[in-house]
Amino acid sequence: NGYPNTTMPDPLAIQIGSQASTMTQAGETNAAFTVTDPSSFYNFVNPPTTNTDTTPYGTELFFLRQKQQQTNQYAGVIKAANTAGNNLATYPANNALANQLKIVARLIKGGLKTPLYIVNHPNSFDTHTNQTDATNHTIGVHANALGLLSKAIGAFQQDLGLMGIQDRVTGMTFTEFGRRIKSNGSVGTDHGTSIPMFFFGAKLHPGLTGASPVLPANATVNDQIPMQFDFRQVYYTVLRDWFQLSDADLAAVLFQTYSTLPIFSQSILPVNIKSFTGSWKNARVSLQWITDKEVNIDRFEVERSTDGLGWTKIGAVTALNAATGASYDFGDANLQQAFYYYRIRIVEKSGAVKYSSNLLLKDAQVVKGVRVKILPNPIDNWFTTSFQDKVSGTITVRMLDLSGKEIWQGVQQANDVYNLTFTINKQVMPGVYVFQVRDGAGYEASTRVLLR
């Protein structure tokens, strides 16, 4: 009762599906307007004015549609948005998810102020059996489901770009369970503790948040991937950084404070970083960043990474909180390899955390590369890295397909040796692959290898 009103002129949420998600459950009722499928949505916003089907079924269906139109007070604003909006991109055929996203794009373009839309992937990822083709693990129902997801999101993002509203929309995938590491006896995977989440949109911090999981060499069907982030931490980040909820509202929803994740781009940071640059000279890295405003910032922590995934704090600079911005410098002389990634961790006085973009710096005076051979070539399921000079430290070998996708990775510790032998402990299709070898100093070499 009492809706629409000046505070909430449009629906709080719209669910494309037959049942509203528990994500949109409010204190007394579910806050989502629910549409079963695209065709019924258009029947709703463009209801027939006369009954053309005089059968008992058609008569009752016409009556129900009339009552639905009359009892939902948001019908007018939804219909107006649908009429005002129009899609500019071509969406893939036979793709139910794309059809749902097509409606979402049109309603946003049409001016509907609904902040949350939920769509459903038509295929199940609950793949206990026949997840992949038994002879080719790159195809099968799992690959088809991911392909449908990719094509739908691709068309959606293209549509938003053509409409000029791409900066206003962020997408997130979620599910209620994960999968395990190893296939079961039915060419599928069982329920697991963890799962990746995909974010898509123009205002995201690109790249992987978190580290690639370290998989056991001889995983069993019972082994799990350890969870790196609590799902409430993800929701906390979205609510705080994207929807701009206050600390009081966040506490009312999630009951405690969580550290935020570097999901969104620096354009929505509480401090605007105009530039983040660095240079490598005389065995020392110099970092500089310039802000154009600062509000309630406690400090800037400098973090360093050897691979762009795992990060270590190496120092901090106290924020000046200058309304007109400030310039900062930081030096790093503890350099052990030929390249590093850097980023700034921005800590607010409230304890909330944001991140800058990543910066890769290399020592231009060092000859990049390590001289190594892969023996034998062609290989079966094992090979030896034969270095021209003795190596020490962490030796990493990445096996990539010709599109650049990582198929396998091996890591060993070396102590003043010329040769290391690796075993590829997973089933890999025969073919030509690129092997990237990185030595303990961070130097890399690449070579093509035939796997028989």
Side-chain angles (χ1 to χ4, degrees):
N1 292 328
Y3 294 92
N5 55 40
T6 55
T7 302
M8 196 179 296
D10 300 329
L12 180 61
I14 289 181
Q15 163 85 53
I16 309 296
S18 60
Q19 183 175 353
S21 169
T22 54
M23 175 183 276
T24 55
Q25 182 65 39
E28 297 180 0
T29 186
N30 199 293
F33 168 82
T34 307
V35 179
T36 55
D37 58 50
S39 60
S40 69
F41 175 81
Y42 286 114
N43 287 333
F44 175 79
V45 297
N46 299 300
T49 56
T50 59
N51 183 20
T52 58
D53 184 354
T54 57
T55 65
Y57 172 85
T59 300
E60 296 301 323
L61 179 61
F62 179 71
F63 171 79
L64 290 175
R65 285 175 174 169
Q66 280 187 313
K67 295 301 116 180
Q68 181 186 39
Q69 177 75 10
Q70 293 167 2
T71 56
N72 193 298
Q73 297 303 305
Y74 281 116
V77 293
I78 295 174
K79 183 175 181 180
N82 181 72
T83 302
N86 63 296
N87 298 104
L88 301 178
T90 300
Y91 285 77
N94 302 318
N95 189 318
L97 181 60
N99 291 339
Q100 297 172 57
L101 290 172
K102 183 178 181 180
I103 293 175
V104 173
R106 179 168 179 167
L107 292 179
I108 297 173
K109 179 61 176 176
L112 199 66
K113 299 179 180 63
T114 295
L116 181 67
Y117 294 84
I118 299 179
V119 296
N120 297 312
H121 196 300
N123 297 7
S124 174
F125 284 84
D126 197 4
T127 48
H128 293 276
T129 61
N130 299 321
Q131 182 171 314
T132 66
D133 183 88
T135 59
N136 183 352
H137 295 170
T138 66
I139 62 176
V141 296
H142 186 70
N144 293 341
L146 288 176
L148 186 148
L149 175 71
S150 176
K151 292 175 183 178
I153 292 175
F156 180 66
Q157 289 300 130
Q158 182 186 31
D159 207 4
L160 297 178
L162 294 172
M163 294 175 178
I165 59 174
Q166 68 272 20
D167 289 351
R168 294 170 46 201
V169 184
T170 285
M172 179 186 85
T173 66
F174 67 97
T175 184
E176 70 269 31
F177 53 78
R179 311 308 296 176
R180 299 190 188 182
I181 297 173
K182 184 177 175 63
S183 170
N184 57 30
S186 302
V187 199
T189 51
D190 298 324
H191 290 185
T193 56
S194 302
I195 202 166
M197 294 180 70
F198 298 104
F199 279 81
F200 51 95
K203 287 296 184 180
L204 297 178
H205 189 299
L208 179 69
T209 298
S212 295
V214 178
L215 304 182
N218 298 297
T220 70
V221 293
N222 295 319
D223 284 325
Q224 304 277 4
I225 297 175
M227 184 179 68
Q228 295 186 39
F229 302 111
D230 189 312
F231 73 94
R232 291 167 295 185
Q233 188 180 7
V234 179
Y235 289 171
Y236 187 93
T237 301
V238 174
L239 291 173
R240 189 181 192 283
D241 291 354
W242 186 255
F243 289 111
Q244 301 291 299
L245 264 67
S246 66
D247 291 340
D249 285 339
L250 285 167
V253 173
L254 293 172
F255 309 114
Q256 69 181 80
T257 300
Y258 295 87
S259 60
T260 55
L261 299 171
I263 296 173
F264 299 99
S265 66
Q266 63 186 43
S267 60
I268 57 173
L269 294 173
V271 53
N272 290 332
I273 296 183
K274 295 172 60 178
S275 67
F276 177 35
T277 59
S279 60
W280 191 310
K281 187 176 181 180
N282 298 327
R284 176 183 172 86
V285 164
S286 297
L287 302 173
Q288 301 84 34
W289 62 98
I290 301 174
T291 65
D292 64 3
K293 71 172 184 178
E294 298 172 15
V295 180
N296 295 322
I297 306 302
D298 182 71
R299 63 190 182 276
F300 299 94
E301 295 182 353
V302 180
E303 295 187 342
R304 187 177 69 187
S305 172
T306 59
D307 56 9
L309 300 176
W311 296 86
T312 301
K313 175 185 173 183
I314 59 173
V317 179
T318 301
L320 299 177
N321 275 307
T324 58
S327 298
Y328 297 90
D329 296 278
F330 184 88
D332 180 18
N334 186 24
L335 308 177
Q336 303 297 324
Q337 65 177 47
F339 66 92
Y340 288 102
Y341 297 86
Y342 293 90
R343 72 182 183 188
I344 306 300
R345 184 174 186 262
I346 304 165
V347 183
E348 297 182 51
K349 290 185 177 180
S350 66
V353 172
K354 308 289 176 65
Y355 292 84
S356 73
S357 58
N358 297 345
L359 178 66
L360 173 61
L361 294 178
K362 299 180 180 181
D363 184 359
Q365 297 180 350
V366 176
V367 176
K368 305 301 185 296
V370 56
R371 297 182 181 179
V372 60
K373 291 182 178 180
I374 303 295
L375 302 173
N377 190 2
I379 67 172
D380 291 312
N381 67 329
W382 66 269
F383 63 91
T384 297
T385 55
S386 180
F387 297 90
Q388 179 172 310
D389 303 307
K390 287 186 176 182
V391 293
S392 296
T394 302
I395 309 300
T396 303
V397 180
R398 299 176 66 217
M399 181 181 182
L400 312 176
D401 64 19
L402 296 184
S403 70
K405 176 184 176 182
E406 181 177 298
I407 304 300
W408 169 86
Q409 182 180 123
V411 179
Q412 288 195 40
Q413 296 297 319
N415 184 16
D416 202 29
V417 298
Y418 286 105
N419 302 309
L420 289 171
T421 298
F422 291 81
T423 299
I424 303 174
N425 51 15
K426 64 177 294 186
Q427 185 174 356
V428 180
M429 294 295 295
V432 177
Y433 295 90
V434 176
F435 278 45
Q436 290 184 350
V437 182
R438 179 187 295 178
D439 71 5
Y443 306 142
E444 290 188 350
S446 297
T447 185
R448 290 197 177 195
V449 176
L450 175 61
L451 177 67
R452 292 184 293 205

